Amino acid sequence: MKFILAIDQGTTSTRAIIFDGEGRIISKAQREFRQIYPFPGWVEHSPHDILSGSLSAAAEVLKRADLSAADIAAVGITNQRETTIVWNRRTGEPVYNAIVWQCRRTADFCKKLVSDGFSERIYNKTGLVPDAYFSATKIKWILDNVSGARERAERGELCFGTVDTYLLWQLTGGKVFATDYTNASRTMLFNIHTLKWDEELLRLFDVPQSMLPEVMPSAHEFGIIADGALKGVPVCGVAGDQQAALFGQACFAAGDIKNTYGTGCFLLMNTGDKPVKSQNGLVTTLGAAVGKPCYVLEGSVFVGGAVVQWLRDGLRIIRTASASERAAKRVPSSGGVYLVPAFTGLGAPYWDAEARGTLTGVTRGTNRYHIVRAALESIAYQVSDLVTAMEKDAGIKISALAVDGGASANNFLMQFQSDILNCAVMRPKVVETTALGAAYLAGIACGFLGEEQIRKNRAVQRVFRPQSSESLRLELLEGWHSAVAKARLK
Ligand code: ADP
């Protein structure tokens, strides 16, 4: 009996999970790590913390399951995307902390790219909008600001990688310098049509080609782990977290779609072998597949489950995130109250950095349950706006939405989502779909699993079906859109 071990290297913690061939969780271990905020809007991680957390979580999960490296057929890695690390090719020592995807330090440079008219060229090649979120400007920042880094990079002495690449390099004792298509597609340096690093973009961002890893399919034998508890086990799967979740949900066919309800929300649709150009503020990116990557449309909501954290820690009107479900059910409706959680502006499809959080429709009869309910409903409304944008771009009507992430545990939210979308919402038994996706990719590449087995494994825990009348649905959506308009008033 063999197992697959997934390393899920997230933004606030690293999880190691062992799965069996049926996609069941055998054991889990988790390590939280430091968030470093040197200035307002800047976010860093220590690459040493990322590596040591991954190694110790992997060792612990093996111990908990009473297994050893010999029982593990392969390792899959999934990771926080876009986060940027530059290190010394000879020693493996990072020249600077990891600059995290959330970090806004290069926002001004990105604004200039937009005003200088580069948006369309960048979009046409990479499928992305010029934003500090993606890796390219973070690499440039390191080369421009760390003493001697640019000269060393030009002499070929430095390597750039997203977190998957750094972990692969370290785990294989510096032997493997590679990434996968999904991670490469988030750097803003990779041409998603030719599937190559783009020379013109490398010049635009001043990044020497010698710094870049080789780009491989997500299911591929990347290399053998050189040391530690997993010594001798091959790494056979790599994918960025959202694409791994799409794969873990078995969204293999064009039109398959999933939404993750975490701190933010991420809606991804597989569009098969055709990239779909968005007219509605979504990005086009590469998805994990066996062999050549598929194309994916992606939209994100900045404040998803985070609005529940705000109810708990900011307003303090609930004690725990899960208590939001009970509170919302205490009232039959939000009583005309809408909360637009535009705390850091609004993402797709509005892209309005100036919008701010807004509470509307409050009367003398409004109580905290209405506000909790309006907050949960706001998550569903934002996802509904993304789904509408995606339906317009892809030219299809979505009939079912696969869900995962922490807030997908909330039954009220899932039912309301189904009502407001007028489509079925399917919650799987294993909501750790990110780790599961990485495990599946690794399992396929090492011959332990096939796509058919994965489809069979897909166990739905609960299906939520629409129960609302069409007139109520439209009335609620209209109320939401007029609240959004108020949040955007300058
Ligand atoms: P991330 O991977 O982004 O850290 P998770 O998938 O772990 O996020 O989900 C955590 C988020 O989900 C938090 O923002 C939390 O407020 C929210 N959350 C967790 N459980 C519930 C629940 N039962 N109802 C509503 N929101 C929840």
Side-chain angles (χ1 to χ4, degrees):
M1 183 73 158
K2 284 241 178 184
F3 302 91
I4 306 280
L5 189 149
I7 297 175
D8 177 359
Q9 204 302 300
T11 308
T12 58
S13 76
T14 306
R15 283 188 270 239
I17 305 184
I18 295 176
F19 293 95
D20 69 10
E22 264 97 67
R24 285 181 302 227
I25 293 178
I26 301 300
S27 187
K28 279 200 232 191
Q30 183 164 1
R31 292 279 182 280
E32 298 212 347
F33 58 90
R34 263 186 313 154
Q35 305 291 313
I36 304 166
Y37 305 108
F39 298 104
W42 291 33
V43 190
E44 299 177 359
H45 293 154
S46 153
H48 293 293
D49 291 353
I50 288 179
L51 177 62
S52 65
S54 305
L55 293 174
S56 68
E60 187 185 325
V61 79
L62 280 173
K63 204 160 152 213
R64 283 196 181 175
D66 201 18
L67 296 172
S68 72
D71 301 305
I72 305 298
V75 165
I77 297 176
T78 178
N79 55 291
Q80 50 168 323
R81 303 178 301 173
E82 300 101 11
T83 296
T84 296
I85 306 176
V86 175
W87 67 93
N88 181 316
R89 190 183 293 276
R90 201 170 44 78
T91 63
E93 194 54 36
V95 304
Y96 190 78
N97 272 337
I99 302 185
V100 178
W101 56 273
Q102 297 157 318
C103 186
R104 304 302 302 167
R105 80 184 64 192
T106 56
D108 286 343
F109 179 67
C110 291
K111 260 193 199 151
K112 189 164 177 319
L113 285 174
V114 174
S115 62
D116 289 351
F118 282 103
S119 301
E120 202 175 331
R121 278 200 82 61
I122 291 176
Y123 180 80
N124 286 341
K125 286 171 180 252
T126 66
L128 308 174
V129 290
D131 194 275
Y133 190 47
F134 305 107
S135 315
T137 61
K138 300 182 196 287
I139 310 174
K140 177 171 164 54
W141 188 93
I142 292 175
L143 298 186
D144 289 344
N145 289 277
V146 174
S147 165
R150 180 160 297 284
E151 294 73 25
R152 288 164 67 199
E154 268 152 20
R155 286 199 300 266
E157 294 170 16
L158 301 183
C159 298
F160 149 75
T162 39
V163 171
D164 55 307
T165 305
Y166 177 72
L167 283 177
L168 253 179
W169 169 282
Q170 294 290 348
L171 290 174
T172 59
K175 282 219 172 69
V176 178
F177 183 39
T179 188
D180 85 303
Y181 287 121
T182 67
N183 277 294
S185 73
R186 311 299 293 184
T187 59
M188 215 157 71
L189 294 172
F190 195 69
N191 187 315
I192 60 170
H193 308 288
T194 61
L195 301 182
K196 292 203 162 60
W197 298 114
D198 188 275
E199 281 178 24
E200 187 194 11
L201 293 177
L202 292 177
R203 275 196 303 278
L204 177 66
F205 293 107
D206 258 338
V207 174
Q209 177 119 32
S210 64
M211 293 182 77
L212 301 174
E214 201 176 344
V215 187
M216 298 294 181
S218 304
H220 169 77
E221 187 170 328
F222 284 85
I224 307 286
I225 296 179
D227 213 350
L230 288 166
K231 188 173 176 180
V233 180
V235 177
C236 290
V238 171
D241 52 11
Q242 294 308 322
Q243 286 96 330
L246 189 68
F247 199 83
Q249 290 269 21
C251 291
F252 302 147
D256 288 350
I257 182 168
K258 70 91 196 171
N259 187 58
T260 298
Y261 298 82
T263 309
C265 293
F266 293 89
L267 184 73
L268 274 77
M269 181 198 274
N270 184 337
T271 63
D273 55 7
K274 285 186 199 62
V276 173
K277 208 169 168 174
S278 178
Q279 310 292 337
N280 294 286
L282 307 175
V283 302
T284 309
T285 200
L286 294 175
V290 177
K292 266 184 91 173
C294 59
Y295 289 95
V296 165
L297 263 178
E298 173 174 331
S300 46
V301 162
F302 299 147
V303 176
V307 74
V308 178
Q309 288 169 327
W310 177 71
L311 296 177
R312 188 192 60 193
D313 307 335
L315 290 189
R316 300 192 184 198
I317 57 175
I318 49 171
R319 283 238 180 91
T320 62
S322 59
S324 62
E325 181 172 337
R326 265 190 322 269
K329 285 179 174 163
R330 295 277 290 260
V331 284
S333 76
S334 72
V337 175
Y338 288 91
L339 173 66
V340 184
F343 302 151
T344 54
L346 286 169
Y350 304 102
W351 291 111
D352 185 344
E354 317 293 316
R356 280 299 170 268
T358 302
L359 191 62
T360 69
V362 178
T363 65
R364 186 66 182 81
T366 300
N367 63 38
R368 66 193 174 109
Y369 304 122
H370 293 113
I371 293 176
V372 172
R373 187 167 173 128
L376 289 177
E377 290 180 355
S378 78
I379 303 175
Y381 286 127
Q382 293 182 92
V383 171
S384 159
D385 285 340
L386 288 182
V387 169
T388 305
M390 222 166 247
E391 288 181 331
K392 280 191 201 150
D393 280 339
I396 54 173
K397 170 88 186 89
I398 287 153
S399 59
L401 180 68
V403 300
D404 51 50
S408 72
N410 190 305
N411 295 319
F412 167 79
L413 173 60
M414 294 301 103
Q415 183 58 53
F416 189 77
Q417 185 73 80
S418 171
D419 291 344
I420 219 67
L421 288 176
N422 192 23
C423 91
V425 166
M426 296 180 309
R427 186 168 62 195
K429 267 202 185 121
V430 175
V431 284
E432 295 276 9
T433 51
T434 307
L436 186 61
Y440 280 162
L441 288 164
I444 287 176
C446 73
F448 181 64
L449 275 174
E451 279 190 33
E452 214 24 65
Q453 175 69 40
I454 294 176
R455 279 203 191 88
K456 241 197 263 159
N457 288 353
R458 188 180 186 184
V460 173
Q461 182 255 348
R462 187 162 164 190
V463 181
F464 297 84
R465 297 193 191 281
Q467 293 172 354
S468 160
S469 72
E470 186 63 2
S471 58
L472 178 61
R473 186 177 88 85
L474 295 175
E475 186 189 317
L476 290 172
L477 278 172
E478 198 185 317
W480 164 253
H481 289 126
S482 72
V484 169
K486 286 175 191 148
R488 303 184 67 190
L489 281 180
K490 305 261 154 49

